């Protein structure tokens, strides 16, 4: 993704300015508080306000185009009569900028694509920096969100902090399956080895990878095949842990609601033992802990890899989207009830939108963002205005079709110039209605693979729970040391530098460092979430 320098618009003369003229202008447009509906903020229809309201928006930015000239944001301004001064920061430095803004108190009116962690929501919400949003949702300023929350109460519960308030909004995709990118087989290797049925157990997987090593499936007469590759195990860990009954690499709740800290579980030992076996037998790439993603991709394009992780298989292997390289069927191990799959929870883990205490008109701001949770608003943000990249075939059924890309450019790259919803996670929702008529055969094939192989064994690893400030401080301190130790020991166990016979010694050290306490704190938070408190 491209990154650009910050492109703040103008001299900061937003309606949230402390100058008397800005304050009076904002209040005349729509006074905040319970009387605001009478002051010109409409609960239904557009524009949202009769007199133009100018607010300051802070966001991260992929740096592809100037937000002031983006057709989507221009359409939003015409529709709502709400204008923005943009305070934009490149993606890779946004977290630092966000921290500086919170520390300085020089706040924007709202944060968009804000990537607000649960800890940030609790900290800045309880300090009064971020305002509670549930009041505006329940008082009729967010009918689209209210409908989603009423139909899916777990979504609302998962973004409500321990003090009963909601300080940020999620991105909602209730049809999502992948929590992390999945594993794929190289279809050419399967064909060369006459494999008609994919491995269903860890032993069958081991035997297949051994055949790749020994039987020259790429047909070049060299022993250059790599049965399984990875980049530091970060790409395959979550998928493979499911073969031993584990839903997440750190914290997960099992089917009975018991919370586990993964690195001390028996299933994690099974995962390490299997990977160590693959390493010893030269079935796991010995460059796993040193290679980059680009180096892994080069091996894929050279037709050397049998099993790998990526968002789509052609991202690694090259070529065009096709159904030739099947999604890996998760395999069962010696642990009963396996495999399992850590499925996407349907909402973002972090907050994508928040309103600060500086905002002169939270009612209008809430109505603006609520539009993004509607079919029309989500379509605009995701695909751009009608008749630019797409048009309706049948508006009543929401069926669309693609139009040629202006200037013959690549479709996704062009989309990044017309909407801010590119390379960053923005507030809003996704549903199958948005892409009706726009889907390819490859999209349908992916859905079929998911439905057959992942959805039946899928479970969201852990709800979006909030810790209290004290709990958050304690867990952050514990995990700071635990994460480093676990990462080091994982590499040592897999490569054989540390024998698996030292497992009990390793677990004793994890417990000494607070592994059980981490599980205990999250168990309490999970129980609170379950009880709705």
């Amino acid at each position: 993704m491209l990154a650009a320098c910050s492109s703040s618009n103008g001299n900061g003369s937003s309606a949230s300015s402390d100058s008397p003229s800005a304050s009076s202008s904002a209040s005349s447009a729509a006074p905040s508080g319970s009387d605001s509906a009478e002051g010109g903020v409409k609960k239904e229809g557009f524009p949202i306000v009769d007199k133009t309201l100018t607010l300051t928006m802070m966001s991260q930015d992929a740096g592809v185009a100037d937000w002031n000239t983006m057709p989507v944001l221009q359409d939003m301004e015409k529709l709502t009569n709400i204008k923005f001064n943009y305070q934009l920061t490149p993606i890779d430095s946004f977290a630092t900028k966000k921290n500086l803004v919170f520390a300085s108190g020089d706040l924007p009116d709202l944060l968009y694509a804000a990537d607000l962690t649960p800890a940030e929501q609790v900290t800045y919400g309880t300090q009064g920096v971020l305002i509670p949003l549930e009041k505006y949702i329940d008082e009729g300023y967010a009918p689209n969100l209210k409908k989603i929350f009423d139909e899916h109460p777990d979504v609302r519960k998962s973004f409500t902090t321990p003090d009963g308030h909601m300080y940020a909004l999620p991105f909602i995709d209730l049809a999502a399956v992948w929590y992390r990118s999945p594993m794929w087989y190289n279809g050419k290797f399967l064909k060369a080895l006459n494999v008609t049925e994919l491995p269903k157990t860890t032993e069958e997987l081991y035997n297949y990878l051994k055949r790749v090593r020994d039987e020259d499936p790429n047909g070049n007469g060299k022993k250059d095949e790599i049965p399984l590759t990875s980049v530091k195990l970060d790409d395959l860990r979550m998928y493979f842990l499911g073969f031993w009954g584990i839903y997440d690499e750190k914290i997960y709740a099992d089917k009975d609601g018991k919370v586990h800290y993964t690195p001390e579980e028996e299933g994690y030992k099974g995962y390490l033992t299997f990977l160590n076996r693959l390493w010893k037998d030269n079935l796991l790439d010995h460059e796993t802990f040193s290679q980059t993603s680009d180096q892994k991709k080069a091996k894929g394009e050279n037709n050397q890899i049998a099993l790998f992780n990526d968002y789509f298989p052609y991202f690694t292997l090259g070529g065009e989207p096709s159904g030739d390289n099947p999604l890996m069927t998760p395999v069962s191990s010696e642990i009963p009830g396996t495999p399992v799959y850590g499925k996407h929870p349907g909402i973002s883990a972090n907050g994508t939108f928040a309103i600060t205490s500086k905002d002169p008109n939270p009612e209008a701001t809430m109505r603006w963002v609520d539009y993004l949770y509607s079919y029309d608003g989500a379509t605009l943000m995701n695909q751009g205005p009608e008749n630019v990249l797409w048009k309706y075939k049948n508006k009543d059924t929401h069926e669309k079709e693609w139009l040629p890309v202006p200037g013959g450019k690549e479709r996704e790259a062009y989309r990044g110039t017309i909407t801010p919803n590119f390379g960053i996670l923005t507030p809003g929702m996704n549903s199958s209605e948005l892409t009706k008529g726009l889907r390819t055969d490859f999209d349908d094939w992916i859905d079929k693979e998911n439905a057959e192989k992942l959805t039946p064994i899928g479970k969201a690893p852990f709800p979006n729970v909030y810790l209290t400030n004290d709990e958050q401080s304690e867990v952050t301190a514990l995990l700071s040391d635990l994460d480093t130790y676990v990462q080091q020991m994982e590499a040592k166990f897999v490569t054989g530098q540390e024998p698996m016979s030292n497992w009990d010694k390793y677990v004793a050290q994890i417990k000494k460092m607070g592994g059980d306490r981490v599980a205990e704190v999250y168990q309490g938070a999970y129980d609170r979430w379950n009880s709705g408190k």
Side-chain angles (χ1 to χ4, degrees):
M1 290 176 288
L2 303 172
C5 296
S6 173
S7 56
S8 174
N9 173 32
N11 57 10
S13 57
S14 95
S16 68
S17 164
D18 291 328
S19 69
S21 59
S23 301
S24 60
S25 162
S27 57
S28 65
S32 62
S34 58
D35 297 328
S36 58
E38 297 168 18
V41 181
K42 299 173 190 168
K43 290 185 177 179
E44 293 178 359
F46 294 97
I48 291 169
V49 288
D50 292 326
K51 185 173 180 180
T52 302
L53 173 67
T54 303
L55 300 171
T56 304
M57 174 194 288
M58 177 181 172
S59 181
Q60 50 187 324
D61 172 27
V64 176
D66 182 353
W67 285 31
N68 292 292
T69 58
M70 277 185 181
V72 164
L73 293 172
Q74 290 177 331
D75 279 12
M76 282 292 288
E77 184 182 330
K78 285 177 200 160
L79 178 72
T80 64
N81 206 16
I82 297 174
K83 181 178 172 57
F84 289 105
N85 289 327
Y86 299 109
Q87 296 179 348
L88 305 179
T89 304
I91 293 168
D92 57 2
S93 53
F94 180 73
T96 304
K97 177 69 173 176
K98 184 173 55 171
N99 290 337
L100 288 171
V101 164
F102 280 134
S104 71
D106 185 16
L107 301 168
D109 296 318
L110 59 120
L111 295 110
Y112 178 88
D115 201 27
L116 289 160
T117 65
E120 287 172 335
Q121 293 168 48
V122 170
T123 300
Y124 299 115
T126 53
Q127 288 177 7
V129 176
L130 304 178
I131 68 167
L133 304 178
E134 70 280 354
K135 168 180 180 247
Y136 305 104
I137 296 169
D138 294 334
E139 287 181 358
Y141 294 100
N144 296 302
L145 260 173
K146 182 79 163 60
K147 184 171 186 289
I148 294 172
F149 288 166
D150 288 348
E151 290 172 357
H152 304 280
D154 276 5
V155 174
R156 179 171 189 147
K157 194 163 67 166
S158 295
F159 260 72
T160 300
T161 60
D163 64 1
H165 293 306
M166 182 180 291
Y167 296 109
L169 300 178
F171 172 77
I172 300 169
D173 184 357
L174 297 167
V177 176
W178 299 345
Y179 197 35
R180 303 275 191 277
S181 51
M183 305 292 297
W184 307 92
Y185 284 108
N186 182 335
K188 288 178 182 173
F189 283 21
L190 295 171
K191 200 170 179 184
L193 297 172
N194 295 313
V195 174
T196 55
E197 196 169 321
L198 298 178
K200 287 190 169 62
T201 66
T202 50
E203 201 55 35
E204 288 176 13
L205 176 60
Y206 173 83
N207 290 331
Y208 171 68
L209 296 177
K210 206 161 74 163
R211 288 190 65 197
V212 170
R213 181 192 68 189
D214 298 337
E215 297 180 30
D216 191 30
N218 68 9
N220 65 359
K222 300 176 190 173
K223 273 194 169 271
D224 63 347
E225 288 84 0
I226 300 163
L228 172 65
T229 193
S230 174
V231 178
K232 298 179 178 59
L233 303 180
D234 290 339
D235 46 4
L236 67 72
R237 187 182 299 113
M238 178 111 166
Y239 209 86
F240 268 56
L241 283 169
F243 309 163
W244 283 271
I246 292 174
Y247 291 99
D248 187 75
E249 51 203 292
K250 198 172 288 187
I251 292 286
Y252 69 97
D254 63 23
K255 287 172 181 169
D256 299 320
K258 179 174 167 51
V259 174
H260 301 264
Y261 176 57
T262 295
E264 61 183 17
E265 292 296 313
E266 199 61 27
Y268 186 71
K269 179 186 179 183
Y271 153 83
L272 292 176
T273 303
F274 184 70
L275 287 186
N276 173 246
R277 183 186 181 195
L278 298 186
W279 183 276
K280 282 193 295 194
D281 293 345
N282 216 25
L283 304 179
L284 172 61
D285 193 344
H286 278 204
E287 292 182 352
T288 285
F289 294 100
S290 58
Q291 71 179 342
T292 65
S293 295
D294 285 343
Q295 288 168 325
K296 180 187 87 167
K297 187 177 177 183
K299 294 171 182 175
E301 290 176 343
N302 204 33
N303 198 31
Q304 289 178 264
I305 304 171
L307 179 61
F308 58 94
N309 173 286
D310 211 327
Y311 199 77
F312 293 128
Y314 66 93
F315 286 6
T316 289
L317 299 177
E320 297 299 313
S322 76
D324 296 338
N325 305 293
L327 181 72
M328 182 189 192
T329 303
V331 297
S332 61
S333 66
E334 67 280 4
I335 291 183
T338 59
V340 299
Y341 174 70
K343 184 176 172 287
H344 195 287
I347 56 174
S348 57
N350 289 344
T352 59
F353 182 89
I355 301 175
T356 77
S357 57
K358 291 287 181 76
D359 192 317
N361 200 323
E363 293 87 353
T365 308
M366 182 58 79
R367 273 229 54 209
W368 184 91
V369 75
D370 181 65
Y371 183 63
L372 310 186
Y373 292 89
S374 69
Y375 165 79
D376 287 333
T379 295
L380 175 66
M381 276 288 165
N382 190 48
Q383 291 147 8
E386 187 178 353
N387 297 321
V388 177
L389 285 176
W390 62 277
K391 69 177 183 181
Y392 275 114
K393 277 172 88 171
N394 185 332
K395 195 161 188 174
D396 292 338
T397 62
H398 292 164
E399 191 176 359
K400 309 179 181 90
E401 63 181 334
W402 290 120
L403 294 171
V405 182
K409 295 177 182 173
E410 196 270 321
R411 185 174 299 277
E412 187 64 7
Y414 186 83
R415 191 181 75 82
T417 67
I418 64 173
T419 176
N421 185 13
F422 180 83
I424 55 177
L425 191 62
T426 59
M429 66 89 177
N430 185 41
S431 78
S432 56
E433 288 292 295
L434 298 184
T435 53
K436 205 182 268 191
L438 303 179
R439 297 175 58 77
T440 64
D441 290 344
F442 180 69
D443 294 327
D444 292 337
W445 176 76
I446 291 286
D447 281 356
K448 188 167 175 287
E449 291 285 275
N450 285 336
E452 287 176 4
K453 298 173 179 177
L454 301 183
T455 307
I457 59 169
K459 174 186 180 295
F462 204 66
N464 196 53
V465 303
Y466 291 87
L467 304 181
T468 65
N469 281 327
D470 288 346
E471 288 171 341
Q472 187 67 60
S473 298
E474 183 183 7
V475 165
T476 300
L478 291 174
L479 288 177
S480 175
D481 293 333
L482 279 165
D483 287 350
T484 303
Y485 178 68
V486 167
Q487 187 179 19
Q488 289 170 347
M489 292 304 292
E490 179 184 54
K492 287 180 179 179
F493 278 130
V494 169
T495 59
Q497 289 177 51
E498 188 82 18
M500 287 308 303
S501 56
N502 282 352
W503 170 258
D504 289 345
K505 186 177 158 191
Y506 156 82
V507 171
Q509 180 61 21
I510 288 273
K511 289 179 182 296
K512 189 177 171 187
M513 295 173 71
D516 287 350
R517 177 58 185 156
V518 170
E520 185 184 357
V521 171
Y522 276 103
Q523 183 74 61
Y526 182 75
D527 293 343
R528 283 198 303 266
W529 180 87
N530 253 336
S531 66
K533 292 176 184 173

